[in-house]
Amino acid sequence: MGIVIPFPTRQVMDDELAIQLWELVMAGEIGTPEYRRLDAEINRRRALATAPRQQAAGARPWR
């Protein structure tokens, strides 16, 4: 038997989106519909990742 380590699919997907966005930038395709779609998806994922942290911080007073 071996130890099974879960594959970090979400991180890979995020990295692939960033690579695709960078490839569009290098190709001079800033502002195209594909660029805007990828940029919006990356921003949406960032907002979802920080939303639970912001809610948790607001729920607990530091004092």
Side-chain angles (χ1 to χ4, degrees):
M1 294 232 34
I3 298 172
V4 177
I5 299 172
F7 189 72
T9 55
R10 180 168 173 80
Q11 182 63 39
V12 170
M13 290 174 50
D14 290 347
D15 290 346
E16 287 177 5
L17 287 177
I19 290 169
Q20 290 175 8
L21 189 69
W22 180 246
E23 288 173 348
L24 288 173
V25 168
M26 295 304 292
E29 297 183 16
I30 296 174
T32 62
E34 181 67 13
Y35 176 88
R36 288 194 303 265
R37 185 188 67 78
L38 286 172
D39 191 43
E41 179 62 21
I42 290 170
N43 289 332
R44 183 188 69 82
R45 290 183 184 197
R46 254 188 224 144
L48 288 175
T50 58
R53 291 184 201 150
Q54 291 172 349
Q55 289 173 354
R60 292 183 309 225
W62 288 103
R63 296 190 217 193

